[in-house]
C-alpha cells in the first residue's frame, strides 16, 4: 500500500516535503545540514559515523550522482538473512568518477534492483552509505509499477524513440495516475538528496529520463544549487514531443537545471525547438557554448557523447583470454567471416531488419554463401517492453527460414543467441568478428561499436602477435539513427529501413581491402581512446562549474507554483525602487530629467484601451509644469497618436517612433531626428518584406512614417526565426548603400533610418534608438547650463534598455556629473541594465503620484496670497483634475477628494465645476 505522502499531489506541487525515514537516521549523515530550519548538531557518537574517517567529506567539493538505479549488484544471502552487495562493474555511473578530481567525494542516490523488506531498509541504507557511499531510495512496489514500468516504459520510452500510441497495439493512452506516480517517485528521490546535501558546496548530477522533474523539487529548496542533467536517450522532435500532455511541466522542470546534456546535436536541437515552440525561449551561441536565458539564469546546453572505460575493457580482455573463450570461438567459426550483432531485445533495435539484410546480401553475392555468418546476440529485455512476444516470434521465423533456405550441413548463415552474456563472453565474440552491424531504428547512444573497436585493438602495450594483441582492424555498419553514429566517421552509415542498402553496406564491409580496414580502425581507435567515460564526465563537470559561476554573485528568487516554479536571477545591485528614497532625492534636486515609456509602463500591455487616463494626464501636467523639470514621453508609437493623446500636456516633450521624431515642450513643430527626410529606401525594403510575408504564414508588415517593421509573432516560431535571419541578411545586402539600420528584435525585423547624434564630444552616425533620444535630451540640458542632477528613466522592454545603457554611461561621457542621482527603472522583475524595478504599471503611476505631491507649482513663486479658491482653481486644467501644492487627493469611486490645509473640496474629474467648502462650511462655487 503506497503511503499517503506519495499520493498527495497538492503537497508535490506546493513543495511540502514530508520526512522520509526516521530522525535518528538523518543525524548519521556525514555532513552538517544547511537546509533552513533543519540545522542538526552532531554529538560525539554521530561524529564517528560511517564516513567520518574520510577528510574530504568536510573540505573541498562533493558531487552527488542521482539515477534510477544505483551502480550496485544485490544478492540475497544463502541463509536468507540479509543481503550481499557489490559494485556493478558494467555500470556507466560507476566509471564517471574517474573523470573527477582525486579529492572530490562521490555519492550515489538511486534505487536498488531488488525489493528490500521495509524491516531491513534502515540497516541496508546505513550499510550502503558506510561501505559504498550510496543512498538508496526504496520505492514501494505499487509505486515502482506505475512509475518505472508504467510512465517511464509505456509513455516516455516509446515517445522518446518516436513511437506514438495511435492504437492499443502501439502503446497505451496517457494515464494520469502513472504521471502522478512518476512525480511521486521523483519527489522521493529529491528527499534522499536533501538528506545528504550541502547546497553551498555540492554538485548534483541527475541522469536520464526517469528523473526529469527532479530538478524542480531540488531547485525549490536550494535556489543556488549547482545542478546538471544528462539525457541518455534520444529527445524527439517537437512535432512528437508536443503530443505529451505534460510537455510543459517536463520542459520547465529540466530548465531548473544549470546544464542539460545530450549525446548529439540532433537531440539538443529538438529540445531547443521544443523550448522555442512551447515556451517562447530562444537560445544563443557564444564562443562555442549554447545557452538559454531563463528568467536571468543561463541554462547551458552540453553536447557530448558518452565514452567507455578503457581500463575495464582491457582487464576483461585479459580474463577472456585466460578462460580460453576466444580460442573456442575461433575453432567454432574457423574458415568463416563473422558479422556480429549485439542488441537488447526490444522493438527499436531493428534486429529483424538486420536478418533480412543478411539474407539479401547472401542472395545478391552468392560467393559469400557458406563463408559469411551473422552471429546475432539478443540480450533479454530488462523491462516489460512493447510487443516483445511479436518480436520474438518474428525473429525466430526469420532465422528458421533463412537457415533452411541458405544453410547447408555444417553451415548456418544465422546464429541466434538469446541469453545474457557476461562481459568477458561478449569481448570474446568481438575479438573474432570481422564486422559489427548495428541497425537500431532509434537509440540513445549504443556503445557496442566502441567496445568492439577497443577489443580489436587489443591490450595496450601488448607484444605484436601475442594473444593479447588484437588484429588492429575493424569494420562497422551502423544505423544513422543512433547516438554514436556522428562520432564514427569511418563507419558505413545506413538507413536500417532500407534493407537493400544495408545489405550492400555489409558486403562492402567484409570485402574491403585489409589496409582500408586498418586505416578506418586506426581512426576510430584514436577517437574512442581519447574520448572515454572519464573525458566525458570531466568535460561535463567543467561546463557545470562554468555555467554556475554567477550563482553566488546574483540575487535569486524562487517564484511560481507546482511545475511552474522557476528561479529569477538578477544583478546584486538590482532592487525595487523605494518611494521614499526617490521622493526625497527629487525634492533636493534643482534640475530634473524625467524620461517615460508609454506602452507597458504607464499603460498596461494587456489593456484594450490604449489612450491615457485622466489620472495619467493629470500627473504629467503636474510634473511637466514644474520649472525644474524636463519631462519627455519616449515611445515607439507614431507622432500622430502621441500628439492627439497628449494634447492637454503642453509642457510635455514627445519622442515618437523610438526617437526618429522629436517635439520639445511648448513647441508645435516636430524635429526629424535623422540625416534627411528621404524614404526612397522603403521602396526597396518593402517588396523584400512582402515576399517573406507571403511565404510566412502568421507574419505581417507594420508601416511607420520612418520605419518598416516585419512581425512574425503569430508565425511558427522556428520557421519565423529562420525567415527573420534570412530576411536580415537579404535586407542588409540590398540596403547596403542606404542610410538605414536593419535590426532584429523579439519576433520582429525592423528597418529604420540612421541618425546623426550630437554629443558633447563628437558627432557620430548611428541607428535611431531611444538611447540616442535620451543622450540628446541630457546633452541639451547640459549645453543650456542646466545639467541634470536628477534623472528618472522608466521603461519595460528591449528598446528601453538602450536608454538605460546610455544613461549609465552618461557620466563618463560628461553629459552628467558624478553627483547626478540616476534612477533607471524597468517594469517587472527581469534581467535589465536598469538598477531598479517596479512590479507593474500601477506601481509606476503610484510612484509618479508621490513625485507629483512633492512638485512645486508655478503659482508658488507669486507674491499674492495663495487663497483656497486659487489653489482649488488650479485643480481644473483642460477639464481634468491635477494635484494641488498644498493638498493631496483621495480617489473614492468616480469622485476625487482633495484634502487641503484650509478647505475641503470635492469634484468630479472631467467636469467644469468644482464645489468646495471653507471653514464656515458655507458652500461656494
Amino acid at each position: 500500500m503506497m503511503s499517503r505522502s506519495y499520493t498527495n499531489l497538492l503537497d508535490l506541487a506546493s513543495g511540502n516535503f514530508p520526512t522520509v525515514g526516521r530522525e535518528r537516521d538523518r543525524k548519521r549523515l556525514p555532513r552538517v545540514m544547511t537546509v533552513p530550519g533543519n540545522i542538526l548538531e552532531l554529538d560525539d557518537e554521530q561524529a564517528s559515523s560511517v564516513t567520518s574517517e574520510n577528510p574530504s567529506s568536510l573540505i573541498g567539493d562533493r558531487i552527488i550522482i542521482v539515477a534510477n538505479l544505483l551502480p550496485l549488484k544485490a544478492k540475497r544471502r544463502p541463509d536468507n538473512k540479509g543481503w550481499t552487495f557489490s559494485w556493478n562493474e558494467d555500470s556507466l555511473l560507476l566509471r564517471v568518477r574517474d573523470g573527477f578530481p582525486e579529492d572530490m567525494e562521490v555519492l550515489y542516490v538511486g534505487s536498488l534492483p531488488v525489493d528490500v523488506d521495509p524491516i531491513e531498509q534502515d540497516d541496508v541504507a546505513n550499510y550502503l552509505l558506510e561501505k559504498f557511499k550510496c543512498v538508496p531510495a526504496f520505492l514501494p512496489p505499487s509505486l515502482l509499477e506505475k512509475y518505472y514500468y508504467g510512465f517511464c516504459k509505456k509513455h516516455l520510452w516509446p515517445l522518446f524513440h518516436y513511437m506514438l500510441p495511435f492504437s492499443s497495439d502501439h502503446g497505451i493512452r496517457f494515464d494520469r495516475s502513472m504521471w502522478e506516480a512518476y512525480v511521486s517517485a521523483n519527489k522521493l528521490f529529491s528527499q534522499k538528496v536533501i538528506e545528504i546535501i550541502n547546497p553551498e558546496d555540492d554538485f548534483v548530477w541527475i541522469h536520464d529520463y526517469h528523473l526529469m522533474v527532479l530538478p524542480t523539487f531540488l531547485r525549490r529548496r536550494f535556489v543556488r544549487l549547482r545542478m546538471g542533467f544528462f539525457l541518455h536517450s534520444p529527445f524527439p522532435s517537437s512535432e512528437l514531443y508536443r503530443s505529451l500532455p505534460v510537455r510543459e511541466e517536463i520542459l520547465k522542470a529540466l530548465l531548473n537545471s544549470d546544464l542539460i546534456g545530450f549525446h548529439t546535436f540532433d537531440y539538443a536541437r529538438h529540445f531547443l525547438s521544443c523550448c522555442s515552440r512551447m515556451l517562447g525561449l530562444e537560445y544563443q551561441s557564444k564562443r562555442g557554448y549554447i545557452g538559454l536565458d531563463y528568467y536571468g539564469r543561463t541554462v547551458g546546453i552540453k553536447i557530448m557523447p558518452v565514452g567507455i572505460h578503457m581500463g575495464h575493457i582491457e582487464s576483461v580482455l585479459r580474463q577472456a583470454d585466460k578462460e580460453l573463450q576466444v580460442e573456442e570461438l575461433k575453432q567454432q567459426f574457423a574458415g568463416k567471416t563473422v558479422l556480429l550483432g549485439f542488441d537488447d531485445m526490444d522493438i527499436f533495435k531493428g534486429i529483424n531488419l538486420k536478418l533480412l539484410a543478411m539474407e539479401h546480401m547472401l542472395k545478391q553475392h552468392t560467393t559469400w554463401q557458406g563463408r559469411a555468418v551473422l552471429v546475432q546476440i539478443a540480450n533479454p529485455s530488462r523491462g516489460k517492453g512493447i510487443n516483445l512476444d511479436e518480436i520474438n516470434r518474428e525473429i525466430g521465423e526469420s532465422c528458421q527460414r533463412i537457415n533452411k533456405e541458405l544453410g547447408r550441413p555444417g553451415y548456418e548463415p544465422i546464429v541466434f543467441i538469446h541469453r545474457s552474456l557476461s562481459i568477458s563472453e561478449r569481448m570474446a565474440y568481438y575479438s573474432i568478428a570481422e564486422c559489427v552491424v548495428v541497425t537500431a531504428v532509434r537509440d540513445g547512444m549504443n556503445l557496442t561499436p566502441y567496445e568492439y573497436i577497443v577489443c580489436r585493438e587489443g591490450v595496450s602495450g601488448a607484444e605484436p602477435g601475442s594473444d593479447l594483441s588484437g588484429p588492429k582492424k575493424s569494420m562497422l555498419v551502423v544505423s544513422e539513427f543512433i547516438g554514436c553514429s556522428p562520432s564514427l566517421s569511418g563507419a558505413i552509415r545506413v538507413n536500417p529501413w532500407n534493407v537493400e542498402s544495408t545489405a550492400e553496406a555489409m558486403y562492402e564491409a567484409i570485402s574491403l581491402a585489409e589496409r582500408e580496414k586498418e586505416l578506418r580502425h586506426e581512426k576510430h581507435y584514436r577517437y574512442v581512446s581519447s574520448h572515454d567515460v572519464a573525458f566525458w564526465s570531466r568535460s561535463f563537470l567543467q561546463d557545470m562549474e562554468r555555467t554556475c559561476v554567477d550563482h553566488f554573485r546574483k540575487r535569486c528568487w524562487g517564484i511560481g507554483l507546482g511545475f511552474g516554479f522557476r528561479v529569477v536571477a538578477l544583478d546584486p545591485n538590482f532592487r525595487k525602487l523605494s518611494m521614499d528614497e526617490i521622493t526625497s532625492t527629487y525634492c533636493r534636486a534643482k534640475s530634473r530629467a524625467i524620461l517615460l515609456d508609454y506602452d507597458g509602463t504607464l499603460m498596461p500591455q494587456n489593456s484594450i484601451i490604449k489612450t491615457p487616463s485622466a489620472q495619467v494626464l493629470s500627473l504629467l501636467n503636474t510634473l511637466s509644469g514644474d520649472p525644474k523639470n524636463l519631462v519627455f514621453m519616449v515611445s515607439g508609437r507614431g507622432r500622430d497618436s502621441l500628439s492627439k493623446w497628449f494634447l492637454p500636456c503642453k509642457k510635455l516633450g514627445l519622442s515618437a517612433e523610438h526617437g526618429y521624431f522629436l517635439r520639445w515642450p511648448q513647441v508645435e513643430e516636430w524635429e526629424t531626428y535623422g540625416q534627411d527626410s528621404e524614404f526612397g529606401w522603403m521602396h526597396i525594403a518593402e517588396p523584400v518584406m512582402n515576399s517573406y510575408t507571403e511565404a510566412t504564414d502568421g507574419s505581417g508588415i507594420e508601416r511607420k512614417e520612418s520605419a518598416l517593421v516585419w512581425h512574425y509573432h503569430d508565425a511558427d516560431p522556428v520557421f519565423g526565426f529562420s525567415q527573420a535571419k534570412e530576411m536580415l541578411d537579404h535586407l542588409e545586402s540590398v540596403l547596403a548603400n542606404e542610410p538605414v539600420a536593419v535590426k532584429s528584435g523579439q519576433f520582429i525585423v525592423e528597418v529604420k533610418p540612421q541618425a546623426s547624434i550630437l554629443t558633447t564630444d563628437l558627432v557620430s552616425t548611428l541607428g535611431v534608438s531611444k538611447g540616442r533620444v535620451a543622450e540628446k535630451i541630457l546633452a541639451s540640458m547640459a549645453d543650456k547650463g542646466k545639467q541634470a542632477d536628477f534623472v528618472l528613466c522608466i521603461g519595460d522592454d528591449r528598446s528601453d534598455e538602450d536608454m538605460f545603457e546610455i544613461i549609465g554611461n552618461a557620466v563618463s561621457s560628461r553629459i552628467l556629473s558624478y553627483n547626478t542621482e540616476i534612477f533607471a527603472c524597468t517594469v517587472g522583475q527581469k534581467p535589465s541594465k536598469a538598477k531598479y524595478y517596479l512590479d507593474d504599471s500601477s506601481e509606476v503611476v503610484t510612484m509618479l503620484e508621490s513625485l507629483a505631491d512633492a512638485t512645486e507649482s508655478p503659482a508658488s513663486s507669486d507674491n499674492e496670497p495663495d487663497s483656497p479658491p486659487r489653489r482649488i482653481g488650479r485643480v481644473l486644467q483642460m477639464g481634468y483634475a491635477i494635484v494641488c501644492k498644498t493638498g493631496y487627493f483621495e480617489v473614492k469611486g468616480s469622485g476625487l477628494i482633495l484634502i487641503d490645509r484650509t478647505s475641503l473640496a470635492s469634484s468630479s474629474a472631467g467636469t467644469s465645476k468644482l464645489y468646495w467648502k471653507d471653514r464656515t462650511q458655507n458652500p461656494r462655487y
Side-chain angles (χ1 to χ4, degrees):
M1 186 79 175
M2 188 165 61
S3 69
R4 185 175 56 186
S5 63
Y6 299 139
T7 57
N8 189 341
L9 285 183
L10 290 178
D11 283 347
L12 297 179
S14 62
N16 298 325
F17 299 100
T19 302
V20 176
R22 291 179 294 180
E23 189 69 18
R24 66 176 179 86
D25 297 328
R26 296 185 62 190
K27 290 186 179 182
R28 294 183 183 178
L29 298 174
R31 301 182 72 114
V32 177
M33 296 289 289
T34 60
V35 182
N38 290 285
I39 301 176
L40 306 179
E41 296 182 358
L42 304 180
D43 56 27
D44 293 338
E45 178 185 357
Q46 294 153 354
S48 59
S49 60
V50 292
T51 57
S52 62
E53 71 274 10
N54 188 348
S56 67
S57 65
L58 296 177
I59 58 174
D61 288 331
R62 200 172 63 157
I63 188 165
I64 301 172
I65 296 176
V66 193
N68 178 53
L69 282 177
L70 291 171
L72 296 172
K73 292 180 179 179
K75 186 178 179 181
R76 194 71 176 169
R77 289 176 183 168
D79 57 4
N80 204 31
K81 295 180 180 179
W83 297 86
T84 301
F85 295 93
S86 61
W87 288 115
N88 182 359
E89 298 293 336
D90 294 338
S91 173
L92 174 70
L93 297 182
L94 181 62
R95 304 299 175 182
V96 298
R97 58 188 181 185
D98 291 349
F100 301 148
E102 291 184 3
D103 60 346
M104 174 171 273
E105 184 182 3
V106 181
L107 276 78
Y108 294 95
V109 175
S111 64
L112 289 168
V114 294
D115 183 23
V116 179
D117 190 280
I119 300 176
E120 301 176 304
Q121 287 179 4
D122 288 344
D123 293 333
V124 168
N126 291 330
Y127 176 80
L128 293 180
L129 181 60
E130 180 180 1
K131 297 297 183 182
F132 298 95
K133 294 187 179 178
C134 291
V135 179
F138 298 106
L139 301 176
S142 57
L143 179 64
L144 180 66
E145 181 69 26
K146 287 192 172 184
Y147 150 67
Y148 182 76
Y149 297 110
F151 193 77
C152 290
K153 287 302 181 182
K154 294 182 179 178
H155 286 308
L156 292 181
W157 178 257
L159 177 67
F160 281 24
H161 288 76
Y162 286 65
M163 186 177 181
L164 292 175
F166 290 117
S167 67
S168 58
D169 295 333
H170 296 84
I172 62 172
R173 305 296 187 193
F174 181 77
D175 187 335
R176 180 67 59 176
S177 66
M178 291 184 179
W179 161 247
E180 293 171 357
Y182 182 81
V183 174
S184 298
N186 275 248
K187 183 180 179 182
L188 194 150
F189 278 90
S190 75
Q191 293 165 345
K192 292 300 178 182
V193 174
I194 290 170
E195 288 180 7
I196 62 172
I197 196 170
N198 183 339
E200 295 181 359
D201 296 331
D202 294 348
F203 291 90
V204 175
W205 189 1
I206 303 167
H207 289 265
D208 223 2
Y209 65 94
H210 313 90
L211 303 173
M212 288 197 293
V213 299
L214 176 57
T216 288
F217 287 115
L218 295 178
R219 186 65 69 191
R220 180 185 292 277
R221 293 296 298 266
F222 313 111
V223 295
R224 289 187 174 89
L225 179 64
R226 297 176 291 183
M227 177 166 48
F229 179 92
F230 196 93
L231 183 67
H232 293 270
S233 76
F235 195 92
S237 70
S238 60
E239 293 305 312
L240 275 81
Y241 180 79
R242 69 198 304 181
S243 67
L244 185 64
V246 289
R247 60 191 186 182
E248 291 187 6
E249 288 89 333
I250 290 177
L251 283 182
K252 290 177 180 178
L254 288 175
L255 290 172
N256 277 318
S257 305
D258 295 300
L259 184 66
I260 305 173
F262 301 91
H263 285 306
T264 72
F265 175 70
D266 276 347
Y267 304 159
R269 178 169 56 87
H270 293 158
F271 173 78
L272 294 171
S273 176
C274 289
C275 291
S276 173
R277 290 176 180 271
M278 296 165 207
L279 303 180
L281 302 176
E282 298 295 339
Y283 74 89
Q284 291 183 337
S285 181
K286 185 177 182 181
R287 296 183 179 179
Y289 298 107
I290 300 175
L292 284 164
D293 183 62
Y294 190 57
Y295 293 94
R297 293 173 50 248
T298 298
V299 181
I301 303 298
K302 176 74 171 177
I303 301 168
M304 173 65 71
V306 71
I308 61 174
H309 192 274
M310 298 291 293
H312 178 55
I313 299 296
E314 291 186 356
S315 66
V316 172
L317 280 176
R318 292 187 178 94
Q319 180 183 353
D321 180 69
K322 290 178 182 178
E323 295 176 1
L324 302 177
Q325 294 171 338
V326 177
E327 287 302 320
E328 292 175 3
L329 292 177
K330 286 181 178 179
Q331 293 176 10
Q332 180 181 348
F333 296 103
K336 305 291 191 301
T337 298
V338 177
L339 294 92
L340 178 66
F342 181 82
D343 306 277
D344 290 336
M345 178 62 80
D346 70 50
I347 194 173
F348 302 111
K349 294 301 186 285
I351 295 175
N352 199 55
L353 293 173
K354 191 187 306 181
L355 301 179
L356 297 178
M358 182 67 178
E359 178 186 21
H360 188 81
M361 190 271 286
L362 293 176
K363 287 182 178 179
Q364 293 296 313
H365 306 280
T366 56
T367 57
W368 284 99
Q369 292 184 19
R371 299 167 54 204
V373 177
L374 172 62
V375 178
Q376 175 61 51
I377 302 170
N379 197 40
S381 177
R382 288 168 287 182
K384 302 174 184 179
I386 300 173
N387 305 120
L388 274 182
D389 294 337
E390 182 181 342
I391 297 169
N392 280 321
R393 185 177 64 255
E394 187 180 61
I395 291 174
E397 291 174 353
S398 295
C399 290
Q400 187 177 5
R401 177 178 51 79
I402 296 171
N403 286 336
K404 182 178 180 180
E405 184 178 349
L406 301 175
R408 64 187 67 165
Y411 168 70
E412 286 187 342
I414 306 293
V415 176
F416 185 68
I417 303 172
H418 189 193
R419 64 179 177 86
S420 296
L421 269 65
S422 67
I423 189 170
S424 60
E425 288 182 284
R426 196 162 76 238
M427 298 304 145
Y429 276 101
Y430 287 150
S431 298
I432 57 99
E434 193 70 18
C435 173
V436 158
V437 185
V438 182
T439 55
V441 296
R442 189 69 60 180
D443 207 354
M445 185 60 192
N446 200 313
L447 294 175
T448 296
Y450 286 14
E451 293 178 347
Y452 169 65
I453 290 166
V454 176
C455 286
R456 297 290 285 182
E457 178 70 16
V459 177
S460 58
E463 291 292 330
S466 67
D467 294 337
L468 296 178
S469 177
K472 302 192 186 312
K473 62 177 182 177
S474 60
M475 282 302 302
L476 292 167
V477 175
V478 298
S479 166
E480 61 190 50
F481 302 123
I482 64 176
C484 67
S485 175
S487 58
L488 298 173
S489 57
I492 303 175
R493 299 189 183 98
V494 296
N495 174 2
W497 297 104
N498 189 334
V499 172
E500 291 79 8
S501 68
T502 305
E504 287 304 309
M506 294 166 72
Y507 169 73
E508 180 185 354
I510 58 178
S511 303
L512 277 177
E514 295 299 303
R515 182 55 182 161
E516 178 72 15
K517 294 177 182 178
E518 292 171 1
L519 291 174
R520 293 184 184 228
H521 168 81
E522 182 182 345
K523 183 178 185 180
H524 288 158
Y525 183 76
R526 281 200 306 269
Y527 175 83
V528 172
S529 60
S530 60
H531 292 73
D532 60 356
V533 66
F535 176 85
W536 172 72
S537 60
R538 181 168 55 252
S539 177
F540 192 91
L541 179 61
Q542 289 172 350
D543 274 16
M544 187 155 49
E545 278 189 290
R546 178 187 52 80
T547 306
C548 300
V549 71
D550 288 337
H551 269 26
F552 294 94
R553 187 185 66 82
K554 292 186 175 182
R555 301 171 65 201
C556 300
W557 290 271
I559 60 173
L561 299 175
F563 289 112
F565 177 84
R566 65 271 188 198
V567 171
V568 177
L570 302 172
D571 189 273
N573 295 321
F574 188 72
R575 63 183 187 273
K576 190 164 187 176
L577 185 61
S578 166
M579 300 294 179
D580 293 338
E581 179 185 359
I582 191 173
T583 302
S584 62
T585 306
Y586 177 88
C587 292
R588 294 193 304 268
K590 304 298 182 183
S591 179
R592 313 181 188 108
I594 301 176
L595 310 178
L596 305 172
D597 175 45
Y598 184 67
D599 291 287
T601 302
L602 292 177
M603 177 62 62
Q605 285 284 11
N606 57 359
S607 176
I608 298 176
I609 300 174
K610 295 298 183 182
T611 55
S613 65
Q615 182 187 19
V616 169
L617 291 172
S618 171
L619 293 174
L620 293 175
N621 265 323
T622 301
L623 293 172
S624 60
D626 190 328
K628 295 181 180 180
N629 293 347
L630 178 59
V631 184
F632 257 88
M633 184 67 61
V634 186
S635 173
R637 289 191 174 271
R639 56 178 174 175
D640 291 341
S641 297
L642 296 181
S643 296
K644 180 180 178 180
W645 291 349
F646 297 101
L647 179 63
C649 306
K650 299 297 183 183
K651 296 182 179 181
L652 176 69
L654 298 175
S655 173
E657 298 192 13
H658 296 293
Y660 187 80
F661 296 111
L662 195 68
R663 195 183 77 181
W664 294 92
Q666 297 181 308
V667 176
E668 295 295 331
E669 299 298 323
W670 286 84
E671 293 181 9
T672 301
Y673 196 22
Q675 293 176 313
D676 53 52
S677 56
E678 296 296 328
F679 295 98
W681 56 266
M682 284 192 174
H683 301 296
I684 302 173
E686 191 166 8
V688 175
M689 286 188 168
N690 280 328
S691 65
Y692 284 88
T693 302
E694 292 173 3
T696 311
D697 188 32
S699 65
I701 301 174
E702 179 187 359
R703 296 166 181 83
K704 297 182 178 181
E705 286 187 73
S706 66
L708 289 174
V709 185
W710 188 72
H711 296 266
Y712 61 96
H713 189 276
D714 295 326
D716 177 272
V718 176
F719 182 59
F721 182 70
S722 174
Q723 290 287 79
K725 289 174 61 178
E726 186 69 26
M727 179 192 289
L728 190 70
D729 293 339
H730 194 165
L731 289 172
E732 286 178 342
S733 176
V734 300
L735 299 173
N737 298 320
E738 300 293 333
V740 295
V742 184
K743 293 185 177 181
S744 63
Q746 189 170 11
F747 299 110
I748 66 166
V749 174
E750 184 175 19
V751 184
K752 56 185 179 181
Q754 292 175 337
S756 296
I757 311 300
L758 179 62
T759 69
T760 55
D761 293 333
L762 51 95
V763 176
S764 59
T765 302
L766 297 167
V768 175
S769 71
K770 288 186 177 183
R772 299 306 165 189
V773 173
E775 185 177 29
K776 184 172 185 179
I777 293 170
L778 297 176
S780 174
M781 294 178 69
D783 291 343
K784 294 177 181 178
K786 295 183 178 181
Q787 189 177 56
D789 57 0
F790 172 94
V791 177
L792 170 62
C793 179
I794 311 179
D796 74 304
D797 63 16
R798 186 177 300 177
S799 64
D800 300 306
E801 295 295 318
D802 294 334
M803 285 198 293
F804 302 149
E805 183 176 14
I806 289 293
I807 291 173
N809 297 328
V811 173
S812 60
S813 59
R814 302 177 187 175
I815 299 175
L816 298 176
S817 71
Y818 288 99
N819 297 323
T820 302
E821 298 284 354
I822 299 174
F823 294 88
C825 179
T826 188
V827 180
Q829 295 186 43
K830 58 181 181 290
S832 173
K833 295 174 183 176
K835 186 177 179 179
Y836 302 95
Y837 74 89
L838 291 172
D839 287 327
D840 51 35
S841 299
S842 64
E843 286 199 351
V844 175
V845 173
T846 301
M847 184 271 298
L848 293 179
E849 284 179 339
S850 67
L851 298 185
D853 288 341
T855 298
E856 294 184 9
S857 169
S860 64
S861 61
D862 296 346
N863 294 322
E864 299 180 22
D866 198 14
S867 64
R870 288 191 56 181
R871 288 194 297 273
I872 299 171
R874 293 197 299 271
V875 173
L876 293 183
Q877 180 177 342
M878 303 302 296
Y880 296 99
I882 63 172
V883 178
C884 246
K885 171 191 173 185
T886 59
Y888 63 94
F889 282 111
E890 288 183 359
V891 180
K892 294 186 177 179
S894 60
L896 191 65
I897 304 300
L898 172 64
I899 309 300
D900 190 76
R901 286 200 304 264
T902 58
S903 63
L904 178 66
S906 175
S907 74
S908 178
T911 65
S912 59
K913 292 184 179 181
L914 175 67
Y915 296 93
W916 64 283
K917 293 182 180 181
D918 62 10
R919 293 175 181 171
T920 64
Q921 301 297 305
N922 295 320
R924 303 180 183 180
Y925 281 103

